[in-house]
Amino acid sequence: GVERPDPWFWLRDKQDPETIAYIEAENAYSDAVMEPLADLRKALYDEMLAYIDEYRNEQQASTGLTN
């Protein structure tokens, strides 16, 4: 068989303080990079919810079913 190294194996222990610190650092970086897009992300999210609500309403109207 072929041996395949896994450089991320150490992240499997979710309780390890090093894993927790690494994930927190990654999350902080991601938040900082995505911050300029916060308004766009919110607008897209709201638009998706509106489409979901519209679809549900159409389905209820066509089937006569309600929640």
Side-chain angles (χ1 to χ4, degrees):
V2 176
E3 221 177 280
R4 297 181 190 249
D6 182 1
W8 305 107
F9 181 83
W10 64 277
L11 289 171
R12 292 182 188 206
D13 182 0
K14 296 177 184 171
Q15 303 307 315
D16 185 326
E18 288 185 24
T19 299
I20 294 168
Y22 179 82
I23 297 300
E24 288 174 350
E26 285 286 317
N27 288 341
Y29 172 79
S30 177
D31 289 345
V33 169
M34 297 301 287
E35 172 58 30
L37 301 173
D39 291 341
L40 175 61
R41 291 174 63 197
K42 172 81 169 104
L44 291 172
Y45 179 76
D46 290 344
E47 184 175 346
M48 286 185 265
L49 287 182
Y51 282 122
I52 291 169
D53 287 341
E54 181 180 333
Y55 175 78
R56 284 184 184 153
N57 291 337
E58 287 175 1
Q59 293 302 307
Q60 290 172 354
S62 68
T63 61
L65 299 175
T66 60
N67 291 347

